[in-house]
Amino acid sequence: MNEKMDLSDFSMLDLFSLEVETQGEVLNDRLNALEQFSYRSFNLSDRLYREVIGTHMRPFEEGVSSFPRMVRDLARQLKKRVKLEIIGKLTMVDRDILRKLEAPLTQILRNSIDHGIEFPDERVAKGKPPEGTIHLEATHRFGMLSITISDDGKGIILDNLRESIVTKGLVTEEMSQQLNEAELMEFIFLPNFSTANQVTEISGRGVGLNIAKTMVQEVGVIFRLFLNLDRA
């Protein structure tokens, strides 16, 4: 038989236990509500962040779409055969940075075609295909944008560079012999320095790489030059 129970049937400890359980349920409900609110807020913030970033980011290919034709035209003008391969076309890049990098990248490509890639007969004599190749690659590494330009040309002959430095009176013959590869390469970026034998509308004025390095550094880019024999 069931008997009706009133508060007098509970001890103070029982009442305290019931109150704690009730408060615990309320607290748990509020924690769940807070977690749901936090989750929705995170999703909203993440979506807004992606939308804002999306309006400022553009595929790499949008900023370099004119490069293949420029390479073909300049190669034809110099009587060379050169193809440009762009890797990472869909790599997202800040549109302002992409716009500011167009000019220095153009300078570097022109330098590669003029100074790096050999004439077809020279390439064939070295066992290379008559057509030179320039790779332009954009990728994200460790949260940073990395842009690499490489070619299968002759590279920079350090002995010729050392001789040019001495001839221009920048260092003595003895001092030039003490310079390592990295130190020699730094001279390439000096204003008015060029290894070209004659001045043309394309090269020889010593402004290309100097301007390129200055412009990329203005947007916070680290500029590095690596050299392998018969590959720059």
Side-chain angles (χ1 to χ4, degrees), residues 8-222:
S8 63
D9 296 316
F10 292 90
S11 66
M12 292 300 295
L13 182 60
D14 292 329
L15 291 174
F16 179 74
S17 177
L18 287 174
E19 183 177 354
V20 169
E21 290 180 2
T22 303
Q23 292 296 330
E25 291 176 359
V26 172
L27 180 60
N28 187 58
D29 291 341
R30 291 181 178 178
L31 285 175
N32 289 335
L34 181 60
E35 288 181 359
Q36 293 178 5
F37 175 77
S38 177
Y39 179 76
R40 290 195 300 269
S41 297
F42 174 79
N43 285 341
L44 177 60
S45 298
D46 183 64
R47 187 167 68 252
L48 290 174
Y49 172 78
R50 292 180 181 277
E51 289 178 358
V52 170
I53 292 297
T55 61
H56 287 80
M57 304 294 280
R58 290 291 182 270
F60 181 64
E61 63 180 343
E62 287 191 12
V64 299
S65 59
S66 63
F67 285 0
R69 180 174 181 178
M70 181 273 291
V71 169
R72 289 195 304 269
D73 291 345
L74 182 56
R76 188 181 302 112
Q77 182 180 346
L78 295 173
K79 296 180 173 53
K80 295 182 178 182
R81 294 175 57 185
V82 186
K83 66 177 179 179
L84 175 66
E85 294 186 357
I86 301 176
I87 304 169
K89 294 181 179 180
L90 298 182
T91 298
M92 302 303 289
V93 183
D94 183 279
R95 63 182 180 184
D96 293 331
I97 291 179
L98 190 59
R99 175 176 53 81
K100 293 178 180 178
L101 286 178
E102 182 178 0
L105 289 178
T106 298
Q107 291 284 359
I108 296 172
L109 288 173
R110 288 170 63 88
N111 186 275
S112 178
I113 299 168
D114 191 21
H115 294 287
I117 303 296
E118 309 96 329
F119 289 99
D121 55 343
E122 294 178 15
R123 293 180 59 84
V124 171
K126 293 180 179 180
K128 297 180 178 181
E131 183 180 55
T133 302
I134 300 176
H135 291 96
L136 173 59
E137 179 180 5
T139 183
H140 289 289
R141 295 175 181 171
F142 307 107
M144 298 180 66
L145 174 66
S146 173
I147 298 179
T148 304
I149 299 179
S150 61
D151 66 60
D152 63 350
K154 61 185 177 183
I156 298 174
I157 302 175
L158 293 180
D159 287 340
N160 292 349
L161 176 58
R162 183 179 285 107
E163 181 182 351
S164 180
I165 293 171
V166 174
T167 301
K168 296 179 185 299
L170 298 176
V171 298
T172 64
E173 174 68 31
E174 180 181 1
M175 186 180 297
S176 71
Q177 297 301 323
Q178 299 174 3
L179 298 175
N180 59 34
E181 178 183 306
E183 292 169 336
L184 285 170
M185 300 289 273
E186 284 299 314
F187 284 91
I188 295 176
F189 301 107
L190 291 178
N192 304 317
F193 182 86
S194 175
T195 57
N197 295 324
Q198 58 182 359
V199 177
T200 68
E201 61 176 298
I202 299 173
S203 64
R205 293 169 293 172
V207 295
L209 289 182
N210 170 254
I211 290 178
K213 184 177 182 180
T214 300
M215 293 182 72
V216 297
Q217 287 179 335
E218 287 178 353
V219 294
V221 176
I222 299 174

